[in-house]
Amino acid sequence: MKQLRIRVLAGVFVVAGILSWAGARLWNSIGTLPSVPLAAPVVLALIAVVLLATALSLRARFRAQRERRPGAKGVDPLMAARAVVFGQASALVAALVAGMYGGTGVFLLELLDIPARRDQAFYAGFSVLAGIGVIAAALFLERVCRLPEDDDENPPGAEPAA
């Protein structure tokens, strides 16, 4: 499984933000821009909490397994792989959604004198922060589930065994 790259996430965020900003300007010139829902930052924050709880649980189970504690529950490799895939998918979607709300929020900064648009700008800003939280939790989960390197057998600078 390939590791998630921050450059890819940043690229998705920036492209989605630019397209969203342009779309918001166009939509507002043609008609009324749809509102930013209050549920957006709440849902993203819940996803971040689930990812973080999963990562902390797996980390504790891995540590107990490594230390050979009596009664330690092992981690099913398939479950860990599913958790990583869920984290990677969540991070990609969060980068896209955060970029979309970020672009909309930047557009709404021009309309802060209207109270309803000011609230929507805050919701968009909180959505971006919650999206960043999802990305951070997903990267942490990926790091927790990473397999140890095979460098134990051949320390750096040593000749490989024949």
Side-chain angles (χ1 to χ4, degrees), residues 9-151:
L9 296 173
V12 169
F13 177 82
V14 169
V15 169
I18 291 170
L19 291 175
S20 177
W21 174 80
R25 287 185 60 87
L26 178 66
W27 198 321
N28 197 49
S29 68
I30 295 173
T32 304
L33 182 68
S35 63
V36 176
L38 174 61
V42 173
V43 170
L44 286 170
L46 285 174
I47 293 170
V49 167
V50 167
L51 286 171
L52 184 61
T54 302
L56 293 174
S57 172
L58 286 173
R59 185 175 72 166
R61 289 173 66 182
F62 282 134
R63 181 177 295 144
Q65 195 174 9
R66 248 189 338 265
E67 294 172 355
R68 292 183 167 69
R69 291 185 194 157
K73 284 179 67 176
V75 177
D76 180 28
L78 189 57
M79 185 189 77
R82 286 179 182 154
V84 170
V85 168
F86 173 63
Q88 288 181 346
S90 297
L92 286 168
V93 170
L96 180 69
V97 170
M100 184 184 76
Y101 285 125
T104 304
V106 168
F107 171 74
L108 289 172
L109 290 177
E110 302 170 4
L111 307 171
L112 288 180
D113 53 338
I114 304 170
R117 295 298 186 190
R118 185 179 323 120
D119 291 343
Q120 291 175 7
F122 283 127
Y123 299 157
F126 288 139
S127 296
V128 171
L129 291 176
I132 292 170
V134 169
I135 291 169
L139 291 174
F140 178 62
L141 175 62
E142 187 178 56
R143 182 164 187 224
V144 164
C145 292
R146 188 174 40 192
L147 291 174
E149 299 295 324
D150 292 338
D151 294 337

